[in-house]
Amino acid sequence: MKVLTFKGGIHPPEGKELSEDKSLKKLKIPEQVIIPLSQHIGAPAKPIVEIGDEVKTGQKIAEANSKISANIHSSITGKVKAIGEYLHPALGKARAVVIEKTEGDEWIENKKIEDYDSVDSEKLVEIIRERGIVGMGGATFPTDVKLSPPPWKDIDYVILNGAECEPYLTCDDRLMREKTEEIIEGLKIIMKIVDADKGFIGIEHNKPSAIKNIQKLCKNINNIEVKIVKTKYPQGAEKQLIKAITNREVPVGGLPLDVGVVVQNVGTSLAIYEAIVEGKPLIERAVTVSGEAMNDTANFIVRIGDTFENLIEKAGGLKDNVKKIISGGPMMGIAQHSVKNVPVLKGVSGILAFTDKKTHHDEELPCISCASCVDICPMKLIPSKIVKFIKNEKYEEADELEISACIECGSCAYVCPSKIPIVQYMKIGKNEVRKINAQKKQEEEK
Amino acid sequence: MDKNLQVSISPHLKQNISVQKVMWLVVLALLPAFIHTIILFGIRTIWVTLTAIITAIISEALMQLLFNKKITITDGSAVVTGMLLTFNVPPTIALWKVALASAFGIIIAKQLFGGLGYNIFNPALVGRAFLVASYPVAITSGWVKPTGGFLSISQRAAESIKTAGNQTAAKLVDTVSSATPLTALKEVRKAASNPEIHDTAVNLWDKLYSFDFVENAFLGKIGGCLGETTAITILIGGLFLMILKIIDWRIPLAYIGTLGVLTWIFGGHNGLFTGNPFFHIFTGGLMLGAFFMATDMVTSPLTKSGRWIFAISLGLLTFIIRMWGGYPEGVSYSILIMNIFVPLIDRYTVPKAFGGGQE
Amino acid sequence: MRAWKEFTKGIIKENPVFVMALGLCPTLAVTTSAVNGVGMGLASTFVLLGSNTVVSIIKKMVPNKVRIPMYIVVIATFVTLVQMFMKAYFPALDKALGLFIPLIVVNCMILGRAEAFASKNNLFYSIIDALGVGVGFTLALTLIGAIREMLGSNSVFGMQLVEGFQPMGFFVLAPGAFLTIGVLIAIFKAIEKKNKEN
Amino acid sequence: MSISGLFVISVSAILVNNFVLARFLGLCPFMGVSKKLDSAFGMGGAVIFVMTIASAVTWIIQNYILNKFGLQYLQTIAFILVIASLVQFIEMFLHKALPHLYKALGIYLPLITTNCAILGVTILNIDEGYNFLETIVHGFSAGLGFLLALVMMAGIREKLELADVPESLKGLGLTFVTASLMSLAFMGFAGLV
């Protein structure tokens, strides 16, 4: 089978061998969970419980606050202990509901729809919204919004993203191997909702077992096909995956649905299946715990709100020479100050611990125009020049070089011999450019 | 359990490459050619090289002191400049002239522009051009024969050309056998238009274009600057850098290819397509220029399309200067001239961003 | 002491070459030697003096609209005088300076002084101004010429300096001219900054 | 007049004896208008335009008026007046007839009167004894050479804007050093014609 890909990209050390053979293990329900109200892109959810309330597993505890927002559910059976500011792996600190476990694990009863084909698409989207499903790949965009394209946009393809191009992470791989059937059912549901002709599952070449399992099950489904994509970072970035599989290019500033495609992570597909067919809100997820500074590694199914500390401990604990702990993958993840009381969110796909050797900090030197970053940029930008403009506060010039197209994948910073923190400059620049353009728009409207 | 955790922006993995590593790899790639020069011209080339390197380092440090900047002489870039300059001078050059050129290159072409990464021109080539402007005689004459070789054609080959009492022809043979190959070619081409010595000139021309000669040129058994007599070892070093992806293969390929094709078409005396491209590829500074000078990261274009434009223009310019210019060799000036155009090339070869082509 | 101030300002603080960057073409073109520098400087000073004087006298008679063309005619007249004078008495220097003698007409320094100073000030100060700027210009050209001659020909005003030194031909060529003035401008700037700091 | 002769004049004026880099003409606008590429193209275009026309007009004046009446000594005055009024006239003409071109070149025209490269080229045409056709080719090529130098410098200066240049060299100082190295590189063209 042909291995598909896009232009550019890098080959960082994969690190998957550390945990790819560890099958998914359901972790014991924690004594206490910290459930932040911001676990998705968009407005934080509004809490609908009060301190002292008793809640069941799967009970809604906070409500979506605007169109782009998501419901939050309790992940355990217990009692609301506090509502306030708590640590958050991405935002530093954010409002959260703390629930203390009581006896048992009593689930709230939800309607199960096994025959989803006979149900209206709108109804299915409503259920998905109700169950608080968001993108599980890390971006955490509310799934219901993504599945409601404007009526004038025809969707041809649904792509399930099983690339998992971030090094070290293996949770999607494990899901594809162990929850194969559920994931494919999820894809069918998505295809029904957006009325797509064809479904693809894009998987990187380095996951032969996952590919085999899914291929076996798809054999008799004529409108679903497995597409093998090259093991290359960032193969799992939405736009790059679409390019590889369909050869369509999402325009600058556009969305996949502008080219008739909807992309969902395999984990999201599983969550959709569980929400519709099993009536289960999004209260658990698969997390890889790995890295050279771990005594042992694991792939867990954990309740949302469990803590990093607990996961690390259950996986085998940290080595003494740990230097860095990351939420997410090593390329785009966020380094953590501490792991105590830091909760696992809907979008946390991995907890990685690294030693000094892997992450050594280097001094920034002047750019020598080696153009490594230009050669590998998957968005075909000129990072080195954009960074020079940003350093000199020439944001309009940076805008001309399409800085806003940057997906912050970090490939440029990975290859840079001068160790320039390019992603950081990109973030600053994008922010400034956005401000300038908003201001310009405002002035024009006047 | 909280340790002193490090917090920094993503990505948390970095490739094992650094500016220092790049520079020292270039130095490493130049070592075979350096050893080759010692074999060809003796111990003296060591002193020439050391002079260039030490002066480069001292100049860099002094300027950084003067401008209150951090001293960065360990990054290896000054060493690279010093070494490259050595390959751009004749083996007999006075040491103080090498030092002068090295200092000029580092101070004027590099440090005044802000140091590493900001220079517009290749410092080593600026050093050479300064020498050519200041001491034209020192850099274009006084050639010595390399061990086991000759300057352009061997004494025997020269004697085999019967001049039959024709004094002008005899003089031409003398001139040619005491010049570097490209200078010899220039003399021969000029002489070919003189009917009186046309036959002799054509005879010499054929000798230069013969397989034997090109083989000798490839092995370095000819006269010239240190980098002009070490084609084979420079090629080895260049391929080494190419395999490590320190330099982009496009630049040497397009540069050498363009010059080869042009000289093949227009470089002969029997009409079109009678030139010997290999003569032009292995004589002069082309190997050094194409692999080590034109590929200098700081002073070459950023984009692939830009590098094609850059390298093809280099081939064209070198061809023009070798054919019609005042200098026998045009590699160093071609690169300096194209250095001027790099900012323009960079500006007008910005690729469309991903998804930018469909709107 | 205004007169003294007007005179000295042109020499250092508002040096036409190093600070104001005026009259660059002749500054670079003719300064291959100190003598040429002096020659060009004096010729320009003469024209400057003449034009400042005349402009200052006629400033009230000239309608605003034809002001600039009028100044140019005045300058061109003095340039023509200089041309004739040089041809007659200093043929060698005339040859060395060549094209740049007639080009004094378009030396922006001269038109600049006429427009910025002589047309607004009385005859006395206009003459002082012209002398000051002219001396500044002449000194600058002489300095550049002397440096280039020293480095490029191992001599100053034609006298050989160091026995056995092989001069750097670079400095008498075009790139040497650009480099010398570039570095001198930078040095002037650095000194000025130091002075301001103290 | 052979084509190759015209070619030699042209190559000489653009590359070998580039007006800015080898002859030191037009340095004030070269320094002043080379900060941005857009304005470099504008100024360069305007200079080509004026140089070509001024070359033609002054050649006619020299050959049919000054020489005829033995008024050669009035050359400087006559030429500068011709150029000044020519620029005025071109400005008015463009404004009325070609507003689009005027928009692109217009703001640079007033600066051109004192560009010594214009007067320089007209005098050189006479000194070199060029005929009418050669004069026009020379004028045009000299302008092209000026444009080339200006655009090259603007490209470099835009890049240097982002460089960590020592304080005292910023601006004019480094621009001259750059010009020096450009001029040094252009010496490679020596002997071409």
Side-chain angles (χ1 to χ4, degrees):
Chain A
M1 199 175 192
K2 216 181 127 201
V3 179
L4 305 164
T5 194
F6 65 101
K7 270 191 185 157
I10 54 171
H11 299 277
E14 290 179 31
K16 308 240 187 212
E17 65 285 349
L18 291 177
S19 61
E20 64 188 347
D21 294 327
K22 303 280 169 71
S23 54
L24 289 163
K25 209 168 98 191
K26 254 192 195 271
L27 213 55
K28 214 179 116 209
I29 298 167
E31 290 303 311
Q32 175 189 298
V33 286
I34 302 162
I35 307 180
L37 299 167
S38 300
Q39 299 192 40
H40 44 263
I41 288 183
K46 204 173 78 199
I48 53 171
V49 288
E50 277 168 26
I51 296 173
D53 285 3
E54 303 253 345
V55 292
K56 289 181 181 176
T57 309
Q59 182 181 331
K60 187 154 74 174
I61 54 168
E63 220 166 28
N65 208 4
S66 70
K67 184 161 167 40
I68 300 186
S69 184
N71 291 339
I72 308 266
H73 304 78
S74 172
S75 58
I76 56 171
T77 306
K79 203 170 176 183
V80 177
K81 189 179 156 197
I83 301 175
E85 293 277 312
Y86 286 88
L87 290 176
H88 185 288
L91 305 172
K93 269 192 173 171
R95 257 169 86 76
V97 176
V98 180
I99 298 168
E100 209 171 20
K101 186 174 175 282
T102 52
E103 213 38 39
D105 186 27
E106 197 182 333
W107 285 65
I108 208 136
E109 283 293 317
N110 278 321
K111 212 177 118 195
K112 296 173 176 156
I113 306 174
E114 303 223 349
D115 180 22
Y116 49 82
D117 265 331
S118 61
V119 181
D120 273 358
S121 294
E122 286 81 29
K123 177 76 189 154
L124 293 174
V125 171
E126 210 175 282
I127 295 171
I128 288 169
R129 182 168 174 85
E130 182 55 33
R131 304 278 188 268
I133 314 293
V134 298
M136 306 282 280
T140 63
F141 193 78
T143 302
D144 56 297
V145 182
K146 224 170 161 181
L147 292 182
S148 328
W152 61 87
K153 298 266 187 198
D154 259 347
I155 301 298
D156 308 322
Y157 307 125
V158 172
I159 296 176
L160 277 199
N161 188 348
E164 200 168 49
C165 60
E166 274 273 10
Y168 291 86
L169 299 187
T170 53
C171 56
D172 284 355
D173 183 15
R174 291 314 309 186
L175 286 177
M176 287 187 286
R177 290 204 227 172
E178 297 177 34
K179 305 260 179 187
T180 323
E181 215 164 315
E182 291 89 335
I183 288 171
I184 294 172
E185 283 301 306
L187 172 57
K188 284 185 190 160
I189 297 171
I190 301 167
M191 285 168 68
K192 181 208 147 50
I193 291 173
V194 298
D195 192 21
D197 310 326
K198 211 154 167 102
F200 296 114
I201 304 169
I203 308 172
E204 268 191 0
H205 199 224
N206 60 356
K207 302 174 189 60
S209 306
I211 294 170
K212 216 175 76 198
N213 283 7
I214 293 189
Q215 258 171 348
K216 209 161 82 193
L217 280 182
C218 291
K219 218 187 265 164
N220 299 319
I221 310 171
N222 55 17
N223 62 347
I224 294 182
E225 206 183 308
V226 174
K227 291 276 184 188
I228 303 173
V229 291
K230 202 170 165 186
T231 306
K232 182 163 85 172
Y233 182 84
Q235 184 65 70
E238 211 166 57
K239 292 178 175 182
Q240 276 63 32
L241 192 66
I242 294 171
K243 172 78 181 172
I245 291 178
T246 68
N247 200 27
R248 295 180 182 181
E249 264 184 39
V250 180
V252 173
L255 291 169
L257 52 91
D258 291 326
V259 292
V261 179
V262 163
V263 181
Q264 291 291 353
N265 176 266
V266 286
T268 318
S269 180
L270 175 65
I272 289 171
Y273 167 82
E274 289 179 342
I276 303 280
V277 180
E278 296 176 357
K280 194 174 140 192
L282 180 49
I283 57 157
E284 13 172 64
R285 71 154 298 140
V287 179
T288 302
V289 184
S290 181
E292 274 82 7
M294 288 293 300
N295 286 324
D296 197 7
T297 64
N299 286 301
F300 290 134
I301 301 261
V302 299
R303 296 284 164 99
I304 304 293
D306 206 343
T307 61
F308 278 37
E309 185 182 23
N310 188 34
L311 266 66
I312 290 171
E313 206 173 294
K314 291 281 152 54
L318 291 168
K319 287 182 184 162
D320 280 341
N321 57 352
V322 63
K323 204 72 203 175
K324 208 177 216 181
I325 290 178
I326 297 158
S327 157
M331 295 305 293
M332 288 183 78
I334 300 159
Q336 302 295 313
H337 285 280
S338 84
V339 292
K340 209 176 164 72
N341 290 331
V342 177
V344 171
L345 315 178
K346 293 175 181 176
V348 171
S349 47
I351 298 169
L352 305 177
F354 286 116
T355 59
D356 202 21
K357 209 171 138 204
K358 276 273 167 186
T359 64
H360 51 272
H361 215 73
D362 293 288
E363 189 195 0
E364 180 181 345
L365 291 172
C367 170
I368 53 166
S369 302
C370 69
S372 300
C373 54
V374 184
D375 291 342
I376 55 84
C377 178
M379 297 307 288
K380 295 192 217 158
L381 303 177
I382 307 198
S384 61
K385 216 167 165 185
I386 295 177
V387 166
K388 280 180 194 161
F389 282 135
I390 294 167
K391 278 187 182 177
N392 288 278
E393 294 175 10
K394 291 179 184 288
Y395 301 114
E396 294 195 2
E397 282 89 342
D399 194 19
E400 263 172 50
L401 292 178
E402 309 260 28
I403 181 177
S404 47
C406 170
I407 56 172
E408 296 172 24
C409 68
S411 301
C412 44
Y414 174 79
V415 296
C416 181
S418 297
K419 309 294 174 195
I420 298 167
I422 304 180
V423 178
Q424 189 171 345
Y425 285 114
M426 286 289 181
K427 284 185 177 178
I428 295 169
K430 277 164 87 172
N431 210 7
E432 292 296 327
V433 165
R434 210 175 300 131
K435 266 194 245 163
I436 290 169
N437 287 344
Q439 203 176 355
K440 260 191 209 154
K441 213 170 159 193
Q442 218 173 14
E443 271 163 30
E444 265 168 37
E445 272 162 14
K446 269 180 202 168
Chain B
M1 82 189 261
D2 276 11
K3 310 245 162 73
N4 246 341
L5 291 181
Q6 210 176 61
V7 179
S8 66
I9 192 103
S10 61
H12 306 288
L13 292 181
K14 302 265 171 78
Q15 201 172 23
N16 184 16
I17 185 89
S18 64
V19 173
Q20 289 90 333
K21 198 167 162 188
V22 168
M23 293 300 166
W24 290 111
L25 279 173
V26 174
V27 172
L28 188 66
L30 283 169
L31 277 184
F34 172 59
I35 294 165
H36 196 178
T37 63
I38 302 172
I39 297 169
L40 293 173
F41 298 105
I43 307 287
R44 185 166 200 280
T45 63
I46 298 179
W47 306 129
V48 176
T49 309
L50 280 181
T51 307
I53 292 176
I54 292 169
T55 319
I57 291 174
I58 293 174
S59 312
E60 181 129 310
L62 284 179
M63 289 311 276
Q64 284 171 336
L65 272 180
L66 179 69
F67 292 134
N68 283 325
K69 286 193 174 181
K70 220 184 127 202
I71 304 220
T72 58
I73 48 177
T74 51
D75 66 13
S77 62
V79 179
V80 170
T81 300
M83 269 193 111
L84 287 174
L85 177 70
T86 318
F87 286 102
N88 275 292
V89 296
T92 52
I93 185 107
L95 293 185
W96 67 269
K97 282 177 187 157
V98 178
L100 202 59
S102 183
F104 190 90
I106 290 282
I107 293 172
I108 306 296
K110 187 175 172 193
Q111 288 302 331
L112 292 192
F113 287 82
L116 179 67
Y118 300 117
N119 49 306
I120 301 292
F121 297 89
N122 185 316
L125 286 177
V126 167
R128 177 189 153 87
F130 169 77
L131 277 187
V132 176
S134 292
Y135 308 107
V137 178
I139 207 160
T140 54
S141 65
W143 304 111
V144 288
K145 285 180 192 158
T147 312
F150 35 83
L151 288 177
S152 67
I153 60 174
S154 64
Q155 205 56 40
R156 231 184 33 213
E159 274 162 16
S160 74
I161 297 173
K162 299 217 163 33
T163 50
N166 183 337
Q167 291 237 324
T168 333
K171 213 175 138 206
L172 176 67
V173 173
D174 271 357
T175 315
V176 166
S177 58
S178 63
T180 59
L182 283 171
T183 312
L185 183 69
K186 198 141 226 167
E187 293 293 332
V188 166
R189 282 165 50 88
K190 224 179 343 178
S193 58
N194 179 353
E196 193 192 348
I197 47 171
H198 174 80
D199 291 346
T200 314
V202 167
N203 201 338
L204 281 164
W205 198 327
D206 287 336
K207 282 238 156 32
L208 287 173
Y209 273 4
S210 71
F211 177 79
D212 278 359
F213 180 82
V214 173
E215 190 191 352
N216 279 317
F218 180 58
L219 296 175
K221 296 178 175 175
I222 51 165
C225 292
L226 292 170
E228 296 180 329
T229 59
T230 46
I232 180 170
T233 34
I234 284 173
L235 183 66
I236 291 168
L239 291 177
F240 167 72
L241 290 183
M242 217 143 105
I243 290 164
L244 291 181
K245 293 196 173 163
I246 302 280
I247 62 175
D248 186 352
W249 55 272
R250 290 171 186 84
I251 292 177
L253 182 81
Y255 188 0
I256 295 169
T258 307
L259 186 71
V261 169
L262 288 172
T263 50
W264 175 46
I265 300 176
F266 301 106
H269 58 79
N270 274 329
L272 297 182
F273 297 102
T274 61
N276 183 346
F278 298 103
F279 171 87
H280 288 273
I281 290 171
F282 294 122
T283 59
L286 184 64
M287 283 290 136
L288 181 71
F291 283 101
F292 286 93
M293 316 288 259
T295 52
D296 170 27
M297 293 168 174
V298 181
T299 57
S300 62
L302 290 171
T303 62
K304 288 170 186 146
S305 55
R307 288 178 212 149
W308 283 114
I309 297 171
F310 177 75
I312 291 172
S313 311
L314 279 174
L316 189 66
L317 275 176
T318 305
F319 171 74
I320 290 172
I321 295 175
R322 280 192 186 178
M323 287 294 136
W324 300 292
Y327 297 105
E329 169 61 320
V331 169
S332 51
Y333 282 110
S334 301
I335 297 171
L336 283 175
I337 290 165
M338 286 315 294
N339 282 167
I340 301 176
F341 287 95
V342 168
L344 292 172
I345 293 174
D346 277 343
R347 208 181 129 122
Y348 294 108
T349 57
V350 175
K352 277 224 157 71
F354 181 95
Q358 299 200 338
E359 274 178 303
Chain C
M1 259 356 276
R2 186 184 159 200
W4 178 245
K5 244 167 96 187
E6 294 290 1
F7 177 73
T8 51
K9 74 167 191 279
I11 298 173
I12 294 177
K13 230 175 91 210
E14 288 176 26
N15 186 291
V17 176
F18 298 127
V19 182
M20 314 293 280
L22 295 170
L24 295 173
C25 301
T27 304
L28 289 160
V30 304
T31 50
T32 47
S33 70
V35 173
N36 286 358
V38 174
M40 188 64 187
L42 290 181
S44 302
T45 305
F46 172 74
V47 176
L48 184 59
L49 199 57
S51 75
N52 256 16
T53 309
V54 175
V55 166
S56 178
I57 292 168
I58 64 170
K59 64 178 181 268
K60 294 217 176 85
M61 295 173 250
V62 183
N64 209 24
K65 258 199 164 155
V66 295
R67 193 176 82 244
I68 299 287
M70 202 59 217
Y71 296 165
I72 291 178
V73 171
V74 171
I75 296 166
T77 312
F78 280 102
V79 170
T80 309
L81 285 176
V82 170
Q83 258 178 303
M84 291 167 155
F85 176 77
M86 298 259 281
K87 264 206 181 67
Y89 295 99
F90 301 98
L93 190 61
D94 179 66
K95 218 170 176 158
L97 302 184
L99 183 63
F100 288 89
I101 297 279
L103 288 186
I104 295 175
V105 177
V106 278
N107 186 331
C108 27
M109 171 184 81
I110 295 170
L111 190 65
R113 290 331 288 176
E115 169 76 0
F117 197 94
S119 66
K120 295 187 185 97
N121 289 282
N122 68 24
L123 181 60
F124 174 69
Y125 286 120
S126 296
I127 290 173
I128 296 286
D129 177 72
L131 284 174
V133 173
V135 169
F137 188 68
T138 309
L139 283 178
L141 261 64
T142 314
L143 178 66
I144 297 172
I147 291 175
R148 290 180 64 193
E149 195 183 345
M150 249 188 301
L151 295 171
S153 315
N154 191 22
S155 63
V156 170
F157 289 103
M159 286 175 297
Q160 203 199 348
L161 289 175
V162 188
E163 190 94 20
F165 170 69
Q166 290 185 35
M168 297 171 260
F170 172 85
F171 283 96
V172 287
L173 299 170
F178 283 116
L179 183 67
T180 310
I181 188 169
V183 172
L184 282 173
I185 286 173
I187 292 172
F188 253 69
K189 207 168 158 184
I191 292 173
E192 198 189 2
K193 211 182 133 219
K194 266 260 148 67
N195 283 345
K196 254 188 208 149
E197 274 167 11
N198 294 344
Chain D
M1 185 67 243
S2 66
I3 295 289
S4 69
L6 292 179
F7 182 73
V8 167
I9 289 175
S10 180
V11 170
S12 163
I14 298 171
L15 300 178
V16 186
N17 295 310
N18 183 285
F19 261 53
V20 179
L21 298 176
R23 287 197 195 270
F24 307 105
L25 289 166
L27 284 177
C28 294
F30 178 66
M31 293 291 154
V33 202
S34 59
K35 279 198 191 105
K36 284 257 165 284
L37 263 175
D38 296 344
S39 44
F41 275 111
M43 181 58 150
V47 166
I48 294 181
F49 202 73
V50 175
M51 267 195 179
T52 314
I53 297 175
S55 289
V57 174
T58 51
W59 189 89
I60 294 169
I61 288 173
Q62 176 79 24
N63 284 284
Y64 291 94
I65 299 174
L66 299 184
N67 286 356
K68 209 163 185 179
F69 301 105
L71 298 170
Q72 283 92 339
Y73 61 89
L74 284 180
Q75 190 193 46
T76 310
I77 299 182
F79 280 18
I80 190 67
L81 284 178
V82 165
I83 290 167
S85 40
L86 198 64
V87 171
Q88 284 277 317
F89 175 75
I90 291 172
E91 199 180 344
M92 280 180 337
F93 173 77
L94 283 185
H95 196 54
K96 288 237 165 65
L98 301 162
H100 195 74
L101 193 62
Y102 178 76
K103 232 177 160 181
L105 309 183
I107 51 166
Y108 303 106
L109 284 169
L111 296 172
I112 283 181
T113 314
T114 51
N115 181 344
C116 54
I118 312 277
L119 183 61
V121 78
T122 58
I123 297 174
L124 274 174
N125 288 332
I126 310 302
D127 286 355
E128 297 284 332
Y130 288 147
N131 66 27
F132 189 63
L133 189 61
E134 287 168 327
T135 294
I136 289 178
V137 168
H138 186 236
F140 179 79
S141 307
L144 211 58
F146 182 81
L147 171 86
L148 181 70
L150 201 61
V151 167
M152 290 189 309
M153 183 56 103
I156 292 176
R157 284 181 78 172
E158 282 191 0
K159 190 170 171 179
L160 289 176
E161 280 267 290
L162 310 175
D164 184 21
V165 176
E167 196 54 42
S168 51
L169 277 138
K170 273 185 185 155
L172 214 53
L174 192 62
T175 307
F176 269 112
V177 174
T178 309
S180 164
L181 298 184
M182 276 165 70
S183 168
L184 189 63
F186 263 54
M187 286 176 70
F189 289 120
L192 260 193
V193 288

